[in-house]
Structures are given as C-alpha cells and as structure tokens.
C-alpha cells in the first residue's frame, strides 16, 4: 500500500474527552444490568449490589493495563495488537482475536435469550427460544443490509440505555422518601454456598455487566488526544457505570424480593411494576429491548467483521471473506456468526451464556495484563499513562482466579468456551493445510475496513 493510500484510509482524530467518556459508558451499559440482576441475587441474596462493587474494583485493575497500552499504541485493534507486539507469535495473536470475537457472539447469544424473555412478553407471548431465534434473524438481516455506525447513533442509544437505568434509580429515590420497599433487604446476605464463594460467584457473573470497556479501545485511533483523554474517560466511565449499577441493584432488591428477581428474565421490569412512582411497564420494556438489542447487534457486527478481516488476511479460509455483490456486506461471515449464535442460544440460558462470555474475556484480560509488563521494554517517543506495576500484576492474578471453577461455573460453561476456542484452532489448521503456514498477522488489518 502506498503512502498516499495509507493517508487516505487514516481515521480522523475527532473524538474529544467528553464524547469518549460517553462512548465508554455506552459500551458498558446494556444487556448485562437489564438481564442479570436477578441471577446475581441468586448468589448473594439481598445484597446484590456487593458483587457489582467488587466486580468494578477488579475490572479497574485490568483497565489500568488498557489505559497504558492505548496511550502507547493508539490504534484500533485492542488485545490482539498488544499480544502481537508483546510476543509476535501469529497463532497466539489469532487465538486472542478469535476469542474476543467469540466472546462477542456469546454475549449476543445471552442478549438474545434476554430479549426473548419477560421484556418481550409485555408485547407478545412466545417461548423464550423462539423469541431469541427471531431476534437473531432480525440481527442477521440488519447486519446483511449494512450499517454505517456513527457517533450520533451511538450517543442516541447510550442515552436510551442510560435513561432506562435512571428511571430505576429515580424509582428507588422516590421509594426511599415515600417509605416504600424494604431498604434493609439490601443489606441481607444469604449466599447459597458460603460468604466467600457466594460473593465470588456473584462477582464473576456481575463482571459481564462491566466488560464493555474493552471495546472502547477501538476508538483510540479517532480520539484527539488518546494519551491523556482515554485514561480519564476509561476510569471515569467505569466509575459512572459502577455507581449507576449499584444504585439500580439497591433499588431492585429494596422493592422486589430475591426469589422474584431470580425467577425473572426481565428483573428491572419487576421493579417498575411494583414502583410507587408510576412508569408505563410497556415503555420500560421497550427501552430494555432496545438496550439488550443494541448490545447484541453491536457484538454481531463486530464478530462478522472480524471473521471477514481474518479471511482477508488469509488466517482462516478465504471463503469466509466472500462479499455480497449488491449489498457489499460479508455475507458468509454473517451466516457463520449467526449460526454459531443460534447453536449457543440452544445450549443455555442467559446466565450460562453470560458466564461463557466472562470466561473467554477473563483469559484475554489476563494476557493483556501480562502484555503491559512485557511491553515495558518497548519505549515510545511520547508521554502516556503508566499503570502502577502492582495493578496489572494483581489484575492478571485476579482474572485467572475468576476463571477457575471456584466461582461456581458449571461444567457446560467450560465445555462451551473450550469448544469455541477449538473451532478457532480447527479453522487455523484447515487454513494451514490449504494455504500454508501463516508467518505474520496484522491485527490492525483484521479490525479495519480498509
């Protein structure tokens, strides 16, 4: 590619600190909090805000690694870029990119199950699995038609998602002043498997609601001053999201008993229905469906484009890089990712699929924390945020610990995650047989549309 071409395809640095902060918050908010409040309550009882607090603290450790690496390498490629720079092993770079891609599909699958549950039941009655399949079909059609993502669209969806959560927070404030609900229930701690394992299991699941910050690193190439703005936006976004989550969790457990929350696919809808402050349940259900649907759509768009990018780079069979002649969308990659999501939706409910997402990304996060230490030897010619060494060290340990079965994950979660990674290995081997050994992987070209 000539110099002129590189300049032509370069992304413009137009995103300021405030918009970047909104992007981070928008990446974090979504299906997790709307769907998993009740599932987290099943681990700890009434004090379901506690796992969200612990998850925030633990996520912040890994965020320090991302903040340093984005400052050093402000490119839109994320974990695969850092692993490639740290180790330079094509297969490892590919597996990390593939794992991130598969985590997006499992996340979308969890969102699809949530979409087909109680929120959708406010409008139409059908089995959850049928609703999930219909939703995936709609996602496939939108993906096939093509979507031009923009800052304005993301801002609008972020506002809608945040508005729904703020409705819950306002309901909670109103309930406290009106003397409704049982605030003491938010301090009740009834873990099913003991205090430590209860909090550990709840934290591992609550982690799903905070994972979105990993996607925000892809905006580094379009930020005006990523070295200074990204760390502030990242930590600020995590704090804002954590405060909203804990307020929502406190309100939910104050107004709705734990058993009802646990049994519901739309736990926040239960809060709206019993609230003293009237808010139309159908309107809230629509907001929740938009939030959950947005999470799935963004994840499936990302996944199909990563498959397409890998095929272009001849890392996986080139067949996956086929573009539709009229829509100019990677239709084979879209069919592949939707097919994987459909299989996943059939294998488990929201919580197991969310747990699979968390497990996959915890392994990636552990590597990112290691990468930031390895890459300390690589000096760059500009100032950037530097994480305190203990933070990524502790972050790597915590991520690996949370990936253990001690969290209460069932065997099917590990089988599902192992099967998805094995699929990546299979595609790599097939590609090696037909196209030969891959000697170089460029993460930036996998994730870009150039």
């Amino acid at each position: 590619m000539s110099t002129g071409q590189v300049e032509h395809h370069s992304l413009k640095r137009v995103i300021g600190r405030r918009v970047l902060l909104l992007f981070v918050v928008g990446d974090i908010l979504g299906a997790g909090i709307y769907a998993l409040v009740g599932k987290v309550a099943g681990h700890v009882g009434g004090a379901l805000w506690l796992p969200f607090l612990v998850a925030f603290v633990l996520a912040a450790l890994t965020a320090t690694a991302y903040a340093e690496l984005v400052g050093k390498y402000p490119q839109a490629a994320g974990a695969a870029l850092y692993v490639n720079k740290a180790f330079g092993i094509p297969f490892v770079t590919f597996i990390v990119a593939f794992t991130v891609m598969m985590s997006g599909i499992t996340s979308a699958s969890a969102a699809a199950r949530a979409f087909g549950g109680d929120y959708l039941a406010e409008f139409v009655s059908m089995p959850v699995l049928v609703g999930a399949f219909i939703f995936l079909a709609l996602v496939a059609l939108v993906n096939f038609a093509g979507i031009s993502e923009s800052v304005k669209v993301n801002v609008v969806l972020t506002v809608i998602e945040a508005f729904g959560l703020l409705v819950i927070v306002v309901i909670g404030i109103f309930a406290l002043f009106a003397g409704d609900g049982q605030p003491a229930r938010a301090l009740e701690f009834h873990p099913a498997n003991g205090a430590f394992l209860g909090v550990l299991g709840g934290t591992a699941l609550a982690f799903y609601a905070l994972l979105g910050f990993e996607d925000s690193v892809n905006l580094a190439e379009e930020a005006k001053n990523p070295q200074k703005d990204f760390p502030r936006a990242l930590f600020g976004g995590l704090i804002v999201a954590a405060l909203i989550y804990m307020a929502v969790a406190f309100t939910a457990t104050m107004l709705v008993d734990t058993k009802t929350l646990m049994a519901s696919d739309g736990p926040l809808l239960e809060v709206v229905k019993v609230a003293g402050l009237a808010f139309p349940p159908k309107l809230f259900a629509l907001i929740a469906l938009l939030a959950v649907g947005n999470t799935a759509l963004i994840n499936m768009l990302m996944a199909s484009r990563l498959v397409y990018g890998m095929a272009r780079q001849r890392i996986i069979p080139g067949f996956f890089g086929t573009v539709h002649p009229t829509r100019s969308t990677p239709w084979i990659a879209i069919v592949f990712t939707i097919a994987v999501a459909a299989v996943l939706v059939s294998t488990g409910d929201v919580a197991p699929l969310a747990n699979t997402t968390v497990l996959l990304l915890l392994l990636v996060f552990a590597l990112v924390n290691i990468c930031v230490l390895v890459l300390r030897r690589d000096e760059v010619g500009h100032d950037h945020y530097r994480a305190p060494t203990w933070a990524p060290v502790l972050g790597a340990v915590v991520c690996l610990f949370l990936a253990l079965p001690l969290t209460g994950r069932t065997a099917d979660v590990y089988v599902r995650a192992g099967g998805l990674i094995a699929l990546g290995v299979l595609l790599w081997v097939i590609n090696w047989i037909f196209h030969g050994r891959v000697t170089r992987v460029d993460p930036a070209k996998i994730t870009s549309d150039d």
Side-chain angles (χ1 to χ4, degrees):
M1 183 176 288
S2 68
T3 303
Q5 286 176 306
V6 172
E7 292 175 351
H8 174 72
H9 289 301
S10 296
L11 297 174
K12 294 182 179 180
R13 295 194 176 276
V14 296
I15 300 178
R17 186 182 303 170
R18 292 180 180 177
V19 176
L20 192 59
L21 172 64
L22 189 59
F23 260 78
V24 174
V25 174
D27 279 336
I28 297 173
L29 301 182
I33 190 67
Y34 280 94
L36 291 178
V37 165
K39 311 304 179 186
V40 173
H43 287 276
V44 295
L48 64 91
W49 54 271
L50 181 59
F52 285 101
L53 176 61
V54 177
F56 159 71
V57 173
L58 300 183
L61 295 173
T62 296
T64 64
Y66 274 101
E68 176 170 336
L69 290 169
V70 168
K72 289 181 74 172
Y73 315 108
Q75 295 172 271
L81 172 69
Y82 312 140
V83 170
N84 193 60
K85 286 185 174 293
F87 305 109
I89 303 173
F91 177 72
V92 175
T93 301
F94 161 73
I95 282 295
V96 168
F98 193 85
T99 301
V100 171
M101 184 267 289
M102 280 299 178
S103 74
I105 297 179
T106 57
S107 177
S109 301
R113 293 284 307 208
F115 188 97
D118 291 340
Y119 292 124
L120 183 61
E122 281 294 301
F123 302 97
V124 60
S125 179
M126 66 176 65
V128 172
L129 195 57
V130 174
F133 282 145
I134 292 174
F135 173 69
L136 286 178
L138 291 174
V139 169
L141 289 174
V142 173
N143 202 348
F144 175 74
I147 283 187
S148 178
E149 294 181 44
S150 69
V151 172
K152 291 181 180 179
V153 171
N154 190 280
V155 167
V156 170
L157 291 173
T158 297
V159 170
I160 292 173
E161 292 173 355
F163 176 73
L165 298 178
L166 289 177
V167 166
I168 300 296
V169 174
V170 171
I171 285 173
I173 294 172
F174 181 83
L176 283 174
F177 280 102
D180 297 333
Q182 300 180 37
R185 189 159 50 207
L187 302 178
E188 292 178 357
F189 191 55
H190 301 299
N193 301 309
F196 177 73
L197 293 180
V199 173
L200 187 63
T203 298
L205 191 54
F207 214 78
Y208 175 77
L210 290 165
L211 291 177
F213 74 85
E214 198 272 343
D215 291 334
S216 64
V217 303
N218 293 318
L219 294 173
E221 206 164 336
E222 298 173 79
K224 291 179 180 178
N225 189 353
Q227 287 78 18
K228 291 185 178 180
D229 291 346
F230 185 80
R232 294 175 181 176
L234 179 57
F235 296 127
L238 274 171
I239 291 171
V240 169
L243 290 174
I244 293 174
Y245 281 179
M246 285 189 289
V248 168
F250 182 88
T251 300
T253 195
M254 175 179 66
L255 293 176
V256 182
D257 66 274
T258 303
K259 289 184 178 179
T260 301
L261 289 174
M262 289 171 57
S264 177
D265 291 325
L268 298 188
L269 187 59
E270 305 296 335
V271 176
V272 173
K273 288 180 176 179
V274 302
L277 179 63
F279 191 88
K282 286 188 181 297
L283 177 57
F284 186 83
L286 178 60
I287 291 171
L289 289 173
L290 287 173
V292 171
N294 182 47
T295 296
L297 180 58
I298 289 175
N299 281 321
M300 293 307 290
L301 280 167
M302 177 272 291
S304 61
R305 269 51 179 183
L306 279 177
V307 171
Y308 168 69
M310 291 175 189
R312 272 190 325 166
Q313 288 284 292
R314 293 293 180 181
I315 302 169
I316 62 175
F319 170 74
F320 290 99
T322 305
V323 174
H324 194 272
T326 57
R327 301 307 309 174
S328 298
T329 49
W331 73 274
I332 296 294
I334 293 171
V335 170
F336 171 72
T337 52
I338 286 292
V340 173
V343 172
L344 289 171
V345 163
S346 305
T347 66
D349 204 349
V350 176
L353 290 169
N355 250 323
T356 305
T357 305
V358 172
L359 177 60
L360 291 171
L361 282 182
L362 282 173
L363 299 176
V364 172
F365 287 171
L367 264 178
V368 170
N369 279 297
I370 294 170
C371 286
V372 77
L373 300 173
V374 172
L375 289 170
R376 289 276 169 89
R377 66 193 179 195
D378 182 25
E379 298 292 335
V380 294
H382 58 263
D383 293 332
H384 60 84
Y385 169 83
R386 182 182 173 93
T389 301
W390 60 266
V393 171
L394 187 56
V397 172
V398 163
C399 287
L400 292 174
F401 184 73
L402 286 176
L404 296 175
L406 281 173
T407 56
R409 289 190 189 91
T410 52
D412 67 292
V413 173
Y414 291 93
V415 171
R416 191 181 296 110
L420 294 174
I421 294 175
L423 178 59
V425 175
L426 177 62
L427 291 176
W428 176 275
V429 171
I430 292 173
N431 188 71
W432 177 75
I433 292 172
F434 287 98
H435 297 292
R437 181 185 176 190
V438 176
T439 58
R440 182 176 179 271
V441 175
D442 188 344
K445 290 184 179 179
I446 293 176
T447 56
S448 72
D449 291 326
D450 295 349

Tab-separated table of all heavy atoms in Angstrom, residues 32 74 136 139 171 182-183 204 212 226 249 274 295 304 329 400 429-430:
chain	number	residue	atom	x	y	z
A	32	GLY	N	-26.211	-6.487	30.227
A	32	GLY	CA	-25.803	-7.068	31.499
A	32	GLY	C	-26.685	-6.688	32.669
A	32	GLY	O	-27.254	-7.557	33.346
A	74	PRO	N	-1.928	3.929	20.196
A	74	PRO	CA	-3.301	4.399	19.946
A	74	PRO	C	-3.837	3.942	18.596
A	74	PRO	O	-4.049	4.731	17.678
A	74	PRO	CB	-3.161	5.924	20.012
A	74	PRO	CG	-1.750	6.188	19.588
A	74	PRO	CD	-0.944	5.033	20.088
A	136	LEU	N	-32.346	-13.126	16.515
A	136	LEU	CA	-31.107	-13.368	15.776
A	136	LEU	C	-31.326	-13.222	14.273
A	136	LEU	O	-30.453	-12.711	13.554
A	136	LEU	CB	-30.566	-14.762	16.092
A	136	LEU	CG	-29.928	-14.957	17.470
A	136	LEU	CD1	-29.487	-16.404	17.658
A	136	LEU	CD2	-28.741	-14.017	17.665
A	139	VAL	N	-31.325	-9.561	13.564
A	139	VAL	CA	-29.943	-9.063	13.626
A	139	VAL	C	-29.205	-9.418	12.343
A	139	VAL	O	-28.466	-8.591	11.780
A	139	VAL	CB	-29.207	-9.646	14.857
A	139	VAL	CG1	-27.710	-9.364	14.773
A	139	VAL	CG2	-29.771	-9.054	16.135
A	171	ILE	N	-36.939	5.794	40.681
A	171	ILE	CA	-37.930	4.983	41.405
A	171	ILE	C	-37.415	4.649	42.794
A	171	ILE	O	-38.155	4.706	43.780
A	171	ILE	CB	-38.242	3.695	40.608
A	171	ILE	CG1	-39.133	4.021	39.403
A	171	ILE	CG2	-38.926	2.647	41.504
A	171	ILE	CD1	-39.365	2.848	38.470
A	182	GLN	N	-38.289	-2.260	51.196
A	182	GLN	CA	-37.559	-2.733	52.374
A	182	GLN	C	-36.062	-2.480	52.174
A	182	GLN	O	-35.331	-3.365	51.717
A	182	GLN	CB	-37.817	-4.220	52.606
A	182	GLN	CG	-39.276	-4.573	52.827
A	182	GLN	CD	-39.475	-6.062	53.046
A	182	GLN	OE1	-38.651	-6.749	53.678
A	182	GLN	NE2	-40.572	-6.592	52.534
A	183	PRO	N	-35.584	-1.274	52.503
A	183	PRO	CA	-34.162	-0.966	52.333
A	183	PRO	C	-33.253	-1.939	53.077
A	183	PRO	O	-32.130	-2.221	52.626
A	183	PRO	CB	-34.036	0.455	52.908
A	183	PRO	CG	-35.405	1.024	52.801
A	183	PRO	CD	-36.343	-0.118	53.009
A	204	ALA	N	-18.200	-12.911	39.540
A	204	ALA	CA	-17.860	-13.447	38.221
A	204	ALA	C	-18.982	-13.189	37.219
A	204	ALA	O	-18.728	-12.895	36.046
A	204	ALA	CB	-17.578	-14.944	38.325
A	212	GLY	N	-17.848	-4.187	28.754
A	212	GLY	CA	-17.889	-3.356	27.558
A	212	GLY	C	-16.723	-2.410	27.381
A	212	GLY	O	-16.453	-1.974	26.259
A	226	PRO	N	-5.467	10.694	22.700
A	226	PRO	CA	-5.699	9.432	23.417
A	226	PRO	C	-4.803	9.237	24.630
A	226	PRO	O	-5.200	8.604	25.602
A	226	PRO	CB	-5.439	8.366	22.344
A	226	PRO	CG	-4.574	9.039	21.327
A	226	PRO	CD	-5.014	10.466	21.323
A	249	ALA	N	-29.072	-1.864	41.467
A	249	ALA	CA	-29.109	-3.100	42.247
A	249	ALA	C	-29.761	-2.870	43.607
A	249	ALA	O	-30.575	-3.685	44.067
A	249	ALA	CB	-27.698	-3.657	42.419
A	274	VAL	N	-43.904	-2.706	40.481
A	274	VAL	CA	-44.294	-2.532	41.891
A	274	VAL	C	-43.986	-1.134	42.400
A	274	VAL	O	-44.265	-0.820	43.559
A	274	VAL	CB	-43.592	-3.580	42.788
A	274	VAL	CG1	-43.918	-4.984	42.336
A	274	VAL	CG2	-42.080	-3.361	42.819
A	295	THR	N	-26.910	-4.205	22.339
A	295	THR	CA	-25.749	-4.992	22.752
A	295	THR	C	-25.497	-6.130	21.772
A	295	THR	O	-24.363	-6.355	21.323
A	295	THR	CB	-25.973	-5.573	24.166
A	295	THR	OG1	-26.083	-4.500	25.102
A	295	THR	CG2	-24.825	-6.478	24.581
A	304	SER	N	-18.817	-10.502	12.893
A	304	SER	CA	-18.805	-10.802	11.459
A	304	SER	C	-17.678	-10.062	10.747
A	304	SER	O	-17.033	-10.613	9.836
A	304	SER	CB	-20.153	-10.450	10.823
A	304	SER	OG	-20.443	-9.076	10.944
A	329	THR	N	-21.677	-6.533	1.797
A	329	THR	CA	-21.500	-6.972	3.181
A	329	THR	C	-20.951	-8.395	3.185
A	329	THR	O	-21.216	-9.177	2.268
A	329	THR	CB	-22.837	-6.946	3.948
A	329	THR	OG1	-23.852	-7.608	3.181
A	329	THR	CG2	-23.279	-5.518	4.216
A	400	LEU	N	-7.205	-14.716	36.265
A	400	LEU	CA	-7.009	-16.163	36.229
A	400	LEU	C	-7.771	-16.847	37.363
A	400	LEU	O	-8.332	-17.933	37.189
A	400	LEU	CB	-5.520	-16.498	36.313
A	400	LEU	CG	-4.692	-16.096	35.077
A	400	LEU	CD1	-3.207	-16.336	35.333
A	400	LEU	CD2	-5.148	-16.884	33.844
A	429	VAL	N	-5.964	-24.721	11.408
A	429	VAL	CA	-5.354	-25.918	10.832
A	429	VAL	C	-5.814	-26.122	9.395
A	429	VAL	O	-5.007	-26.427	8.503
A	429	VAL	CB	-5.690	-27.166	11.692
A	429	VAL	CG1	-5.246	-28.443	10.980
A	429	VAL	CG2	-5.037	-27.060	13.055
A	430	ILE	N	-7.116	-25.954	9.149
A	430	ILE	CA	-7.640	-26.096	7.786
A	430	ILE	C	-6.977	-25.087	6.854
A	430	ILE	O	-6.573	-25.418	5.726
A	430	ILE	CB	-9.172	-25.912	7.769
A	430	ILE	CG1	-9.852	-27.081	8.489
A	430	ILE	CG2	-9.683	-25.795	6.335
A	430	ILE	CD1	-11.345	-26.899	8.656
